[in-house]
Amino acid sequence: MPQDRYQTVQDVADRLNVAEATVRQWIKSGALRAIDIGKGWRIADTDLAQFLRAHETSPRPSETRPGQTAEKQNDNEPPR
């Protein structure tokens, strides 16, 4: 973590194109890890990356390895 860069709530909100209140709610709910340093919350790059990975739906087509296909959970659900 010492190598991490930290962003403000406003930085994260701007980057994700959401309201500051949304980012603060993610922090309050525990979904997004943040550090309170006295002048406001700071979010480490690795914590933001982990949050985004946890909210992914599926890999992009370009991230699928050659010969790899998406698995289906059942006939009524889209591929994972």
Side-chain angles (χ1 to χ4, degrees), residues 71-79:
E71 295 177 17
K72 280 190 166 184
Q73 291 180 350
N74 67 42
D75 293 334
N76 296 329
E77 293 183 20

Side-chain angles (χ1 to χ4, degrees), residues 4-23:
D4 273 334
R5 297 189 64 133
Y6 293 86
Q7 301 175 60
T8 64
V9 169
Q10 181 65 56
D11 293 338
V12 172
D14 290 345
R15 181 174 174 189
L16 300 179
N17 198 29
V18 297
E20 268 189 78
T22 301
V23 177

Side-chain angles (χ1 to χ4, degrees), residues 58-78:
S58 64
R60 291 184 177 132
S62 63
E63 295 174 4
T64 304
R65 294 184 204 106
Q68 181 183 10
T69 58
E71 295 177 17
K72 280 190 166 184
Q73 291 180 350
N74 67 42
D75 293 334
N76 296 329
E77 293 183 20

